[in-house]
Amino acid sequence: MQRNMLRRAVSSALVTGLTAGLAACGGGGGSYGSNTMPTPANATMAVTMSDASADDWACVGVRVLSIALVPAGGGSPVTVWTAPTPAPYVNLEQLDQLGEILGNVSVPVGSYSGATLTIAANPGDVLLTVASDPQSGFPLPGGTSVPADEIQIQHAQGSVGNLTVSVNLTFDSPLEVSASTSNALDLEFDLAHPAFIVGHTPPGAAGATLWAVNFNGPVHRLTVPDITRLVLRHTYGTVNGVSSGSLSITKDFAVFPATNPETAIASNQSLTIDADSANGTIVYDLDAGTRTVVENFGGEMALNGKYVRIAARYQEDGSLVAVRIWASSQFAKVWLSPEGHVLHVDTTNDLILVANEDGGGVPVTIDANTEFFFRTPHSAIADATPIGTGTSFLANQNLVRGFKVHVSAVDPLALPMVAQEIDIETAAYGGHISNASTAGFTYSSQYFIASDNYSVNLGYIAGTLANGFDDNGNPITGFKWWDFTFPTTVTFGSGATSSFAAAAGGAINFGGTVGALPAWGESVATWGDGGSNASGWYVRDAVLVPTPLPLGTVSTPFAANAFALTVANGTQPVTVDVGTTMGSATLVYQIDRSNGVITVSPIDITTPAGLAAITAGLVDGAPVKVFGVPQAPVAPATVGTLKAYVIVYYTGTMPSM
């Protein structure tokens, strides 16, 4: 992706979370009230982590130590997940709109209003590796691993060697855990959030950049109204039991940074994975080089004790079913199949380049036998059926830069690597929007490397295709869109395509060599439109995403919820509108660099104190970074305005980037 795709709307709970102070994690008790109350019944709950990805990083590794739920009726938090020792890293960059299964855990039945995550915050507990091809202007070369002493984790508490960050989340709506339904907790880290990872390069610093990592705000719960539609990242484990109907595995995590050969960290979480008795589970024995399709595991007792990588899906009752399994006596064999974003597609040589955790690109050859799958967990048949085979899939531009894939090789140790199959986990398109109509629109990507760019015309899905749920839990059918800046209402229904076409026509114009900046968007596509077209990519949704402007200068001070901004190489200012209404307010951050330390402070502009702070910060000549959605001019005006999503202003040592 050349722009950062965030999967869900910013809600009033997120704004509240940005302005609330951090509190230490409470105890790990498991009761709701007094000791005289009976112990509540327990239910099984899936615990997953996901992320909204960012273009500039190949690895954002974090160590989550524990997850606790806060009972809605009061009482001590209930610890539902604890990391193994040593606590493994989870590379958030690999979870682009995917769920990483941490475990299926036992949780007391009841209602929960929030959660507390405890994250390790010692030097080295957060890993940052730059993508092989970051966006133009990024201050570090591709593939750079940021030294630990240049990463400053915000709001760390405790003593040296035992530093942690407690992240307190208030859910948009209560998490209801019931013994009679499936239950899921998906915690999402928004890597694309402008205040999550903040780089600061002061003038005269000879290229030295400090990186502030701020967990306060970019972490939230992603509601899972239908667990069968949750796309899961391949999970790794060691088989500790085989029966006819299922496998029992102990969840494994890979070591970060990667070792050679790669090794596993075993957790204390066990998962039961059922065979697909209706459609068959494909089992690849990487040691023997065989491929079999089985409807039960009765003939697969040799899997016991082996390392496995499993593409699985959840059933309505919360059970896991294996779609495909890769097995080996060596962990490195199941691991050595690149997973990441597609960096380049070479249709001349039938080659793709897939990002890995080290910031490099792994070349993968596509041959006549390569099968392409699109992860569709809610449809067992579609999830197990290839959508294309061979090199023509590339030639027809059905795989482009920015897709998130997991490659399975014919021989993971062979050079060059030849793809046996490619799981397309996320089909994401994005870029400048043009030609928007009720039939579709055009995305034109803007990658730094011109040969990676595409201009693709995409149609909308059929109006009858199921497409998630609204904020009240009501099902949505057909295309939907929202303005990421103010996403409290998702637009869907009969007028969605026409209203999107009108909204996507916005643009602002700085003049000069900067010129006009049109609306940007991101979309998730699906294979087939759900109607008469069974093949080809169609957009399920579109998000008008904030356009990151160059570092600018305030030309008219903040007043009446607006200010004017100029940028280098522009000839005219643009008006920036600022929202101050609770629940849809512009997110404002003060970034201070003093004595080599960066501090990121959220400013709540829904309060008098916050308004006073932004008024004092956005004075004439002040440097400011703005992210917003262009708005079309209203006659007689000829220059559009920018609806601000995030404003960052600086104090202390000023930035040069």
Side-chain angles (χ1 to χ4, degrees), residues 103-120:
N104 287 340
V105 301
S106 180
V107 179
V109 168
S111 179
Y112 297 90
S113 60
T116 297
L117 281 71
T118 302
I119 301 173

Side-chain angles (χ1 to χ4, degrees), residues 2 430-446 454-460 497 500-507 517-523 539 542 544:
Q2 72 284 347
H432 289 163
I433 298 173
S434 60
N435 305 320
S437 70
T438 56
F441 58 94
T442 301
Y443 271 136
S444 299
S445 65
Q446 295 291 312
Y454 56 79
S455 183
V456 176
N457 300 316
L458 297 167
Y460 306 109
T497 57
F500 173 75
L517 300 179
W520 281 80
E522 292 285 355
S523 289
V539 291
L544 294 180

